[in-house]
Amino acid sequence: ENVMTQSPSTLSVSPGERVTLSCRATETVSGNLAWYQQKPGQAPRLLIYGASTRARSIPARFSGSGSGTEFTLTISSLQAEDFGVYYCQRYDDWPPSITFGQGTRLEIK
Amino acid sequence: QVYLVQSGAEVKKPGASLKVSCKASGYPFITYGLHWVRLAAGQGLEWLGWINPGNNDSRYSEKFQGRVTITRDTSTNTAYMELSSLKSEDTAVYFCARDLGMSSSVFEYWGQGTLVTVSS
């Protein structure tokens, strides 16, 4: 099983600062990597897919990068509304096989 | 506007079965795949399975194979997720999510979630 490990588990950052979240796989995932943001009581929200493609209506301050087994989500200038838990997700082309990381909780200082 | 509206919260006893619905609107139902994902307290997101509403093909996570069944009704644009032999560990919020395409496995739109509590 391809296990996804996210770091750090929790992060507390001041508005305006740059944030980098990491996601590491035990096996190569090629470019099939997505990122989601989830706020309390809400459904997850798609941010990035294909490792670096921003989803519709996602602000440009969110960017994704990486390949192979190492991936990064960057928030260039943290806004107050960016709090929540961030999950990475690896997915196979076919048949569907999906694994999520355990999440990184992002708190606003 | 795409909407996925799920059925309401449920309380079940261990060993019982669960059926959650997800009514889609705002797009051609048979053109996009639908997935089911859950979030248990203190745990991360977990994928249960997928359905092609067009031809009723479905695939499941190995963890839930044999216990989960995903179906659809094209006359009402509704997908269903059934989970049998419930255990306390199945207590979670269950989400349906629309695929970016048919089987990209990227979840572009989500339902509001259905809280399922399994308790004796």
Side-chain angles (χ1 to χ4, degrees):
Chain A
E1 183 189 352
N2 197 349
V3 177
M4 308 300 291
T5 302
Q6 293 185 238
S7 60
S9 298
T10 305
L11 195 56
S12 183
V13 182
S14 300
E17 291 190 1
R18 183 182 182 89
V19 176
T20 300
L21 308 181
S22 294
C23 177
R24 175 177 293 176
T26 53
E27 301 171 24
T28 297
V29 302
S30 64
N32 291 350
L33 195 287
W35 290 92
Y36 300 83
Q37 175 198 60
Q38 186 173 30
K39 296 183 177 181
Q42 296 184 17
R45 173 193 182 198
L46 175 65
L47 300 174
I48 301 286
Y49 63 95
S52 60
T53 302
R54 257 191 315 276
R56 264 186 278 220
S57 305
I58 299 303
R61 65 179 181 274
F62 291 93
S63 64
S65 62
S67 63
T69 61
E70 301 276 349
F71 297 88
T72 300
L73 176 71
T74 301
I75 308 173
S76 59
S77 178
L78 189 70
Q79 304 297 301
E81 64 267 26
D82 296 337
F83 72 93
V85 180
Y86 288 77
Y87 294 97
C88 65
Q89 172 217 347
R90 62 141 281 273
Y91 49 97
D92 290 345
D93 287 325
W94 184 260
S97 176
I98 293 153
T99 310
F100 290 93
Q102 84 281 11
T104 291
R105 182 174 304 277
L106 177 59
E107 299 170 349
I108 310 296
K109 272 186 189 174
Chain B
Q1 183 78 321
V2 172
Y3 291 103
L4 298 173
V5 179
Q6 299 180 220
S7 49
E10 305 237 26
V11 179
K12 295 290 186 180
K13 293 197 181 301
S17 293
L18 165 75
K19 189 171 187 177
V20 181
S21 67
C22 172
K23 184 171 176 59
S25 61
Y27 71 95
F29 180 65
I30 62 172
T31 305
Y32 292 85
L34 273 171
H35 300 258
W36 289 88
V37 178
R38 76 180 188 181
L39 178 66
Q43 301 195 34
L45 295 166
E46 196 166 31
W47 178 72
L48 285 82
W50 162 91
I51 188 168
N52 175 339
N55 64 9
N56 207 30
D57 184 23
S58 58
R59 303 296 167 109
Y60 304 111
S61 164
E62 283 186 19
K63 176 178 178 177
F64 299 100
Q65 189 80 38
R67 244 189 358 122
V68 67
T69 304
I70 300 174
T71 58
R72 92 317 187 206
D73 181 344
T74 56
S75 69
T76 59
N77 289 354
T78 301
Y80 300 90
M81 187 279 299
E82 291 186 81
L83 189 63
S84 61
S85 303
L86 290 170
K87 316 164 202 175
S88 58
E89 307 91 271
D90 294 317
T91 294
V93 178
Y94 289 76
F95 295 96
C96 62
R98 199 201 79 171
D99 198 285
L100 194 63
M102 180 54 74
S103 57
S104 74
S105 295
V106 174
F107 310 136
E108 186 178 20
Y109 293 97
W110 295 69
Q112 84 276 17
T114 297
L115 174 62
V116 174
T117 304
V118 182
S119 174
S120 54

